[in-house]
Amino acid sequence: MRKIIHCDCDCFYAAVEMRDNPALNDVPIAIGGSVEQRGVVATCNYPAREFGIHSAMPMAQALKRCPHLIVIRGDMAKYKAVARQVFAIYRDVTELIEPLSLDEAFLDVTNVTLCNGSATRMAEAIRQRVKSEIGITVSAGVAPNKFLAKIASDWRKPDGLFVITPNDIDSFVQQLPVKKIHGVGPRTAEKLAGLGIQTCADLRARSLTELVEQFGRFGHRLFELSHGRDERPVKTHRERKSISTEQTYSQDLPTLEACRQQLPDLLSDLEQRYARLDPAPAVRGLMVKVKFNDFTQTTVEHADPAPSLDQFESLLTIGWLRGERPVRLLGVGYRLAEEVTVQQLSLF
C-alpha cells in the first residue's frame, strides 16, 4: 500500500505578497488582472474569501462584493522562484514528485525512511520547513492513494494537516459528499442529486452496471472512488495533451469579422508557445474557444495534423454562430500527439 502526501500552498500568490508586505495580512487582497482589462481573480487571501470571492471570478464582480478589495497585478517570475524553493524542500524528502501546478504536488513516500518511515511526520516536517524557510504555509493530506490525499489536504485548510489511515478509509469515504470527487462538476452533481445520490455511501448502493449506464466511463471511476480505491501512481512526468493561448479583450468584439481580425495575433502567440516545447510533440488537432459577453462559452475542435488559418477561421465561425453576440474572450490551441512525454512544469 502506498504512502502519498498531497501538498498545497495556501492561497499561494496572495501568500507570497503578504509575506513580502505584512500590512496586507489582514485586509482582503486578490491577485489578477485589472477591471479595465477584464481581468479575473487568479487567487485571493482568506479575508477576501469571506466576501465570497474566489479564483476565476471576474475582477469587476469581486470588487462589487468587496469595494475595498486590494487588487495586485502579480509577479509570475517571483512566484516561480518561490515555487522552486518549495519544490526543493519536497525533493529533500523524495524524488517521486508529481507537480500539479506551481503550488501543489503529490509526493510518493512509500519507500522513504526519513522520520522512521512515517508519512505523517514527513508531511509535518515539510510544512514546518516551508513556513520557517520560505515564510508561507502549506496544507498537507496523507493517505494511501492520490484521490484521498488530495481531499485530505483540503480538509483542514489553511495551514492544516489531515491524515487518512488505511483503517479510516471505509468510514471516511462513506460520508464523503460526491461533490468532493474530482471530476464531479455542477452538472454531474445535479444529475447525481436527481438520482438521489449525495454521498459516496449512496454511490455504493448502486451497481457498477447502473453507474456506467448513467455516466459512461466516468461511472466506473465513481464506483472505484466511492470505495476509496485509486491505483494511479505518482507520475514524475506527464503527457502534455494540448497547448493553447487566449486573450480577454478590454472591449467586446461586436462581430464575427472583428473576431477574425484577432486570429493572426493569437496564432502567432500559439506558435511561439509551441516552438518552446522540447521536444515538440506532433500536432493532431486544433481548437478555438469563444466566450461571449454573457460569460457563456463554447469550444470547437477539429482533428488535423496540419492546421491553417483557414481552418481556425472555420472553427471560429462555427463557435461564434452558437452565440451570435459580442465576444469578450478568444482562445486558440493545438491538440498534441499523446505518445510524446514532456516535463509538466518548467520550474527546474
Side-chain angles (χ1 to χ4, degrees):
M1 187 169 287
R2 295 185 177 103
K3 298 178 184 178
I4 307 297
I5 303 172
H6 180 257
C7 293
D8 190 4
C9 298
D10 301 313
C11 58
F12 179 54
Y13 300 164
V16 175
E17 297 297 339
M18 291 187 293
R19 178 200 67 177
D20 294 346
N21 182 4
L24 299 174
N25 284 348
D26 299 318
V27 298
I29 67 171
I31 314 302
S34 66
V35 173
E36 293 75 19
Q37 296 179 333
R38 294 191 167 183
V40 298
V41 176
T43 193
C44 61
N45 65 355
Y46 285 90
R49 295 180 192 193
E50 293 178 2
F51 290 85
I53 297 171
H54 56 77
S55 299
M57 174 180 284
M59 195 64 75
Q61 183 179 346
L63 284 165
K64 286 181 180 179
R65 296 192 178 194
C66 179
H68 58 288
L69 179 71
I70 296 175
V71 178
I72 299 173
R73 182 66 180 175
D75 184 343
M76 190 54 65
K78 177 169 67 173
Y79 304 148
K80 287 184 177 180
V82 175
R84 283 193 288 270
Q85 293 177 289
V86 173
F87 274 74
I89 291 174
Y90 296 164
R91 291 199 304 276
D92 283 344
V93 176
T94 179
E95 291 294 328
L96 294 178
I97 302 170
E98 181 178 336
L100 301 180
S101 65
L102 282 179
D103 62 328
E104 66 173 314
F106 287 114
L107 286 66
D108 187 330
V109 297
T110 307
N111 297 313
V112 176
T113 57
L114 292 173
C115 302
N116 292 323
S118 168
T120 301
R121 290 171 59 190
M122 289 181 228
E124 188 55 46
I126 288 170
R127 289 180 359 90
Q128 291 300 324
R129 280 194 62 188
V130 172
K131 182 181 291 187
S132 63
E133 297 176 21
I134 302 175
I136 63 174
T137 61
V138 171
S139 290
V142 179
N145 60 52
K146 289 164 68 173
F147 163 61
L148 292 173
K150 186 169 175 62
I151 288 175
S153 70
D154 193 50
W155 213 251
R156 289 183 178 158
K157 266 186 169 288
D159 195 18
L161 171 64
F162 188 70
V163 180
I164 303 173
T165 68
N167 291 335
D168 295 335
I169 291 176
D170 198 57
S171 59
F172 179 85
V173 173
Q174 286 203 59
Q175 52 83 39
L176 188 70
V178 291
K179 64 182 180 181
K180 291 284 190 180
I181 296 176
H182 180 68
V184 175
R187 291 184 181 179
T188 304
E190 183 178 351
K191 184 175 180 180
L192 286 163
L195 296 170
I197 299 173
Q198 299 285 348
T199 68
C200 285
D202 298 329
L203 272 176
R204 290 187 182 190
R206 307 302 177 102
S207 69
L208 174 59
T209 300
E210 181 181 356
L211 291 175
V212 171
E213 286 175 351
Q214 291 286 343
F215 300 97
R217 291 198 314 178
F218 190 55
H220 188 275
R221 181 78 176 148
L222 288 171
F223 181 83
E224 290 293 310
L225 296 182
S226 71
H227 290 82
R229 297 195 288 260
D230 180 14
E231 296 303 319
R232 295 173 301 157
V234 168
K235 295 182 178 179
T236 56
H237 289 72
R238 279 188 155 194
E239 290 181 345
R240 182 187 286 274
K241 296 182 179 180
S242 66
I243 187 168
S244 62
T245 186
E246 60 184 40
Q247 178 65 49
T248 299
Y249 299 98
S250 57
Q251 298 292 327
D252 290 336
L253 304 176
T255 65
L256 174 58
E257 181 56 34
C259 294
R260 285 197 182 112
Q261 292 174 9
Q262 303 300 320
L263 276 180
D265 286 343
L266 285 168
L267 293 176
S268 175
D269 186 55
L270 177 63
E271 279 297 321
Q272 291 178 38
R273 291 169 182 254
Y274 176 68
R276 290 197 291 266
L277 297 181
D278 184 19
V283 173
R284 63 179 181 87
L286 57 155
M287 52 191 172
V288 171
K289 174 182 174 182
V290 182
K291 180 180 285 188
F292 299 101
N293 64 347
D294 62 353
F295 290 92
T296 61
Q297 67 181 48
T298 186
T299 301
V300 191
E301 299 192 35
H302 175 66
D304 195 304
S308 67
L309 176 60
D310 288 344
Q311 291 171 322
F312 277 106
E313 287 184 341
S314 296
L315 294 187
L316 174 60
T317 300
I318 294 170
W320 189 85
L321 288 173
R322 291 175 179 174
E324 293 190 82
R325 59 176 65 92
V327 169
R328 62 178 280 119
L329 176 148
L330 288 176
V332 295
Y334 293 146
R335 291 293 181 193
L336 303 175
E338 295 181 356
E339 65 270 13
V340 178
T341 301
V342 297
Q343 188 80 25
Q344 187 190 9
L345 289 177
S346 55
L347 289 178
F348 318 121

